[in-house]
Amino acid sequence: MSDEPHSTEKRFSRRKALSWAGFTALAAALGGFLYKHISSTSSVHVESFSTSGNGQKKNILVMTGSGRTNGNSNLLANAFVTGAKEAGHTVNIFHTAMTPVHGCMHCEACWSTGKPCVIDDAFDQLFPLLEKADMLVFCSPLYWYNFSGQIKCAIDRMYPYSKKKRLRSMNVRETMLLMCAQSHFLRSFAGPAEAYRQMLGYKHWTDRGRLFVTGVDDLGDIVGHDALAKAEDMGRNA
Ligand SMILES: Cc1cc2nc3c(=O)[nH]c(=O)nc-3n(C[C@H](O)[C@H](O)[C@H](O)COP(=O)(O)O)c2cc1C
């Protein structure tokens, strides 16, 4: 008689433990199912933000970072260019992975030969475009949670334009960032998005828009997706 409440309590806590175990197992199974579902479908998702231009015609330089001619990011870049040209902007496109530029050597010999950098490579074709541009558009696939190496090398080569003693300047005022990745998670872009934010702060450039596309991997995955329409709109409103 004296141990009855005790055994009721025991039974109650055993039942409680069993129901918790059941709930945890069910939650784990559901989580596993959802994860499998998300990672096995090719659902493409786009997140974008942009502000409207001031109506002035601009000189826009689009720098791409993929070596795949009809790759997803190059299709984004082409869509942007179509919109920007339609709006009357002057647009140049430089494919950093097709005409690769060497990384910066930090040799501090900038401008010593009259040009921004002493290295003779495709940067000789890029720097006149950089010096003319009012707006820069970086368009890269996500590689190892970052910009592609090729576009990063080209960005590094802008170093001479940050030197106090320079022969010429860049006149860029505004920038945009367009990126795509195989990942289904927007947070995968956190690294380059933060680098972009810091670059803008350092150079006093104004962010005019960002577009991130998740879930694209194979050539053509982005075809037919409204990410391309959004990129075109960003060009039109540049
Ligand atoms: C070297 C390399 C690294 C990659 N790293 C990532 C990555 O970190 N995260 C990701 O989601 N996708 C990654 N990918 C996949 C690409 O971002 C994806 O295939 C993208 O759509 C390629 O764009 P493109 O067609 O413009 O080249 C990587 C691809 C390559 C070739």
Side-chain angles (χ1 to χ4, degrees):
M1 195 179 150
S2 62
D3 62 2
E4 204 176 313
H6 188 231
S7 68
T8 314
E9 207 174 272
K10 240 182 175 175
R11 233 179 300 140
F12 177 70
S13 62
R14 209 176 298 137
R15 208 179 299 148
K16 213 170 162 188
L18 280 172
S19 64
W20 265 112
F23 174 76
T24 312
L26 194 70
L30 192 68
F33 170 77
L34 280 176
Y35 179 77
K36 224 173 152 192
H37 177 73
I38 289 169
S39 54
S40 67
T41 58
S42 60
S43 60
V44 182
H45 185 72
V46 59
E47 282 285 328
S48 68
F49 139 91
S50 62
T51 54
S52 291
N54 56 10
Q56 284 175 356
K57 303 292 173 239
K58 293 180 181 143
N59 189 309
I60 303 173
L61 174 59
V62 180
M63 289 166 66
T64 70
S66 171
R68 304 203 291 182
T69 307
N70 290 315
N72 300 307
S73 55
N74 280 333
L75 295 183
L76 275 179
N78 291 347
F80 177 90
V81 170
T82 301
K85 283 190 172 164
E86 200 184 292
H89 299 296
T90 302
V91 191
N92 286 293
I93 187 158
F94 188 90
H95 299 290
T96 65
M98 321 279 183
T99 37
V101 302
H102 201 287
C104 172
M105 305 290 283
H106 203 177
C107 62
E108 300 294 350
C110 319
W111 303 108
S112 60
T113 56
K115 57 180 194 158
C117 183
V118 290
I119 303 171
D120 295 320
D121 66 1
F123 190 64
D124 290 342
Q125 285 116 63
L126 177 57
F127 80 75
L129 303 176
L130 283 170
E131 289 177 12
K132 279 196 296 194
D134 311 306
M135 177 185 267
L136 274 185
V137 179
F138 304 104
C139 184
S140 177
L142 190 72
Y143 279 4
W144 291 99
Y145 302 96
N146 218 317
F147 295 113
S148 77
Q150 295 95 328
I151 199 168
K152 178 63 168 56
C153 281
I155 293 171
D156 289 355
R157 292 286 288 282
M158 295 181 197
Y159 181 74
Y161 296 100
S162 293
K163 304 275 291 183
K164 276 206 177 83
K165 283 190 174 173
R166 57 179 180 264
L167 297 181
R168 293 182 305 277
S169 295
M170 279 167 59
N171 298 307
V172 171
R173 297 275 174 269
E174 303 173 317
T175 57
M176 288 196 190
L177 177 65
L178 313 175
M179 293 194 78
C180 65
Q182 173 264 327
S183 164
H184 292 275
F185 303 104
L186 204 58
R187 64 171 180 269
S188 300
F189 295 105
E194 178 60 14
Y196 173 77
R197 197 178 76 84
Q198 297 283 343
M199 270 162 55
L200 266 61
Y202 173 63
K203 297 298 289 177
H204 306 293
W205 292 336
T206 301
D207 181 22
R208 289 290 318 287
R210 279 163 272 148
L211 182 151
F212 299 109
V213 189
T214 55
V216 290
D217 198 17
D218 292 334
L219 280 173
D221 273 356
I222 207 167
V223 173
H225 192 266
D226 70 350
L228 296 177
K230 288 195 174 164
E232 197 172 317
D233 267 352
M234 286 167 85
R236 212 171 279 122
N237 297 325

